[in-house]
Amino acid sequence: MTTRILTGITTTGTPHLGNYAGAIRPAIVASRQSDADSFYFLADYHALIKCDDPLRIQRSRLEIAATWLAAGLDVDRVTFYRQSDIPEITELTWLLTCVAAKGLLNRAHAYKASVDKNVETGEDPDAGVTMGLYSYPVLMAADILMFNAHQVPVGRDQIQHVEMARDIGQRFNHLFGKGREFFVMPEALIEESVATLPGLDGRKMSKSYDNTIPLFSSAKDMKDAISRIVTDSKAPGEAKDPDNSHLFTLYQAFATPEQIAEFRSDLLQGLGWGEAKSRLFTLLDSELGEARENYHRLIERPADLEDILLAGAEKARKVATPFLGELREAVGLRSFRSNVQVAETGKKKVAKGARFVSFREDDGSFRFRLLAADGEQLLLSRNFADGKAAGAVSKQLQQGSEFELRPEHFGFTLWINGEHIAESPQFVDAAARDAAIESLKLALAPQQD
Ligand code: TRP
């Protein structure tokens, strides 16, 4: 079985080294496994929650798209798209919003942090809290559940959101699945060794601490940032403690075991911090130099990036559109044309009095319905070019000619001599479908009397 891996990256900033090591690189490595079916996307709807600067949103989407591609994402292997190109995601967000418990969302860390801060400063608890922030986990659940991801690579701060996606998905399954598990239960996937890189000051590398090392801007920017890494004040020649050095932690995230062992031993033997920084730069530059060049090539061709992302969206919607159709059906947003009374799943007394009714479509074609005595629709035919053709086929059925019924999902189709003639509505479950098949056979059986 293939494993579906899905992750999103919020488009508010420019990816830095921490994003690369913590999210981008492991995601790309995972996407190369033969049993992986990866979905990666720009979480630009999430970006709107945090940022009301359109230029920054747009710039960031472009930079993040280019970063992932430059870092080696192969769009033929994976599905790479912008969240905002998939309208099914917002629609699913609403379906999930209607089953998500408010109490669950009250516990979301990001929302709680805002409330706590307000309370601390004597503000109204909800000051500055938008519904977007409050519903953030529901949107994220829709991202994940829309594609039935098994694994969701994320930073530690996002584990709670993945758990909420499970909760919400489970509740939907329970309410509407009728024994069917619409949604797979996703797991958060944390790459233990490098999940969070330390920044220049040793705290988690994060834009909000202004302690990041840039990824692809330029070699010089990277070198400048590295020169600002905070170390202790031990002089060259004095033994350094690698395990208490975030410079060493950064090195470890990119080096081979041999390089790590050598660096450790050199630090213990008194390698100067200046030299240590220059070794870190050399390592990062050799790991990332080529990707940096790719990045700048891509950024200069935004129209190409647009094409790549639109093709990705099309691929994603091949999954999302039919699946959302099933979910709409499940909650009761059904076409009037094909709807059946859902309450009765038992045997239906239709044998006598079933009737064919033909009608004309707006496009001039003809179709017929087979209605049970109580008016319930048993079959809807395909379109026929003219009324005569439609009439001939319904007559064949009335006169007891042979036909074949093929179950399809919770409905079935009717075939005569290998030709698709008509289809049933979708029923609530397989049992209701099978009962309807029996009723139909009875209704169309040659009359004995
Ligand atoms: N909230 C995530 C973050 O800030 C980004 C994200 C949005 C995401 N939707 C997702 C991650 C779905 C994984 C799956 O990092």
Side-chain angles (χ1 to χ4, degrees):
M1 199 188 90
T2 61
T3 304
R4 184 160 290 169
I5 304 173
L6 173 144
T7 198
I9 175 154
T10 309
T11 55
T12 43
T14 306
H16 54 66
L17 197 68
N19 302 135
Y20 177 76
I24 304 169
R25 183 177 60 178
I28 291 174
V29 170
S31 76
R32 294 194 177 129
Q33 282 163 13
S34 61
D35 65 344
D37 174 20
S38 305
F39 281 59
Y40 298 133
F41 67 96
L42 309 185
D44 46 6
Y45 280 144
H46 279 100
L48 298 181
I49 295 171
K50 301 179 182 167
C51 172
D52 58 9
D53 175 355
L55 289 178
R56 183 154 146 227
I57 296 275
Q58 175 65 341
R59 181 78 205 156
S60 172
R61 292 159 94 227
L62 187 70
E63 288 177 346
I64 291 173
T67 300
W68 281 69
L69 295 171
L73 190 73
D74 176 356
V75 292
D76 291 331
R77 276 197 71 108
V78 308
T79 308
F80 185 51
Y81 55 97
R82 289 174 294 213
Q83 184 186 32
S84 63
D85 284 335
I86 317 290
E88 288 81 0
I89 289 177
T90 31
E91 196 170 342
L92 177 56
T93 301
W94 186 251
L95 301 190
L96 298 179
T97 298
C98 294
V99 303
K102 177 167 180 285
L104 179 74
L105 297 175
N106 285 342
R107 292 196 289 275
H109 299 319
Y111 162 70
K112 259 176 43 185
S114 294
V115 171
D116 290 350
K117 211 162 124 203
N118 283 334
V119 170
E120 236 170 69
T121 54
E123 293 268 2
D124 182 274
D126 282 331
V129 175
T130 64
M131 284 307 293
L133 175 64
Y134 190 72
S135 304
Y136 185 110
V138 189
L139 177 58
M140 183 156 158
D143 293 331
I144 297 170
L145 299 174
M146 181 87 262
F147 298 104
N148 271 328
H150 301 102
Q151 293 183 347
V152 183
V154 282
R156 293 194 173 283
D157 60 327
Q158 298 293 316
I159 295 175
Q160 188 197 32
H161 293 151
V162 179
E163 283 165 359
M164 288 184 165
R166 297 168 63 94
D167 269 5
I168 297 169
Q170 203 157 35
R171 186 156 162 79
F172 189 98
N173 281 346
H174 176 73
L175 283 171
F176 301 111
K178 310 246 184 249
R180 177 176 168 202
E181 304 281 299
F182 279 113
F183 298 125
V184 161
M185 291 298 109
E187 307 267 358
L189 193 72
I190 311 291
E191 216 200 339
E192 285 303 333
S193 55
V194 291
T196 33
L197 277 192
L200 302 178
D201 56 0
R203 291 184 294 173
K204 173 188 169 183
M205 189 182 293
S206 161
K207 203 173 52 213
S208 39
Y209 295 148
D210 195 22
N211 65 355
T212 61
I213 297 179
L215 181 59
F216 289 147
S217 59
S218 69
K220 180 173 181 306
D221 283 355
M222 184 179 266
K223 198 175 220 154
D224 289 350
I226 290 173
S227 73
R228 285 184 281 115
I229 294 176
V230 177
T231 61
D232 62 28
S233 52
K234 294 211 170 88
E238 278 185 80
K240 315 289 187 298
D241 177 4
D243 297 315
N244 276 312
S245 156
H246 52 275
L247 191 153
F248 185 66
T249 310
L250 286 165
Y251 191 90
Q252 274 180 304
F254 292 89
T256 63
E258 295 75 32
Q259 289 172 314
I260 293 170
E262 192 187 339
F263 197 50
R264 169 187 287 280
S265 119
D266 289 351
L267 284 169
L268 287 168
Q269 286 170 38
L271 183 76
W273 285 124
E275 175 62 19
K277 287 177 177 178
S278 120
R279 281 214 213 163
L280 175 61
F281 172 75
T282 307
L283 175 73
L284 292 180
D285 198 53
S286 68
E287 272 266 313
L288 300 168
E290 196 184 320
R292 183 195 300 129
E293 277 174 36
N294 292 339
Y295 175 82
H296 289 288
R297 252 198 311 276
L298 287 162
I299 281 282
E300 276 153 30
R301 305 184 67 94
D304 291 358
L305 287 172
E306 181 73 22
D307 289 343
I308 292 172
L309 288 163
L310 288 178
E314 200 177 312
K315 227 159 113 183
R317 294 189 73 194
K318 289 223 164 75
V319 179
T321 310
F323 188 37
L324 187 72
E326 290 176 39
L327 300 174
R328 289 178 57 107
E329 187 82 19
V331 299
L333 303 177
R334 299 169 189 164
S335 161
F336 287 159
R337 208 182 284 288
S338 63
N339 209 359
V340 282
Q341 277 76 40
V342 293
E344 29 179 333
T345 54
K347 292 226 160 31
K348 300 189 180 76
K349 294 178 266 135
V350 288
K352 293 268 161 58
R355 62 191 192 280
F356 287 87
V357 180
S358 62
F359 64 98
R360 191 168 183 192
E361 288 280 21
D362 292 342
D363 65 4
S365 65
F366 283 81
R367 305 174 88 170
F368 62 81
R369 301 181 208 279
L370 176 60
L371 300 178
D374 60 4
E376 184 181 328
Q377 181 171 307
L378 302 173
L379 284 176
L380 172 66
S381 81
R382 68 172 172 82
N383 302 67
F384 294 90
D386 52 66
K388 239 169 110 182
V393 175
S394 61
K395 195 153 184 193
Q396 264 183 305
L397 284 170
Q398 285 171 73
Q399 291 175 345
S401 90
E402 296 236 334
F403 60 87
E404 185 199 343
L405 298 178
R406 298 185 192 164
E408 265 168 42
H409 193 49
F410 292 157
F412 57 87
T413 48
L414 183 145
W415 300 68
I416 297 180
N417 295 330
E419 196 194 340
H420 176 218
I421 300 297
E423 60 195 54
S424 77
Q426 288 291 319
F427 297 91
V428 279
D429 55 22
R433 176 199 62 206
D434 294 344
I437 288 179
E438 286 317 306
S439 308
L440 184 76
K441 284 183 184 159
L442 269 177
L444 292 178
Q447 302 291 314
Q448 301 299 322
D449 48 6

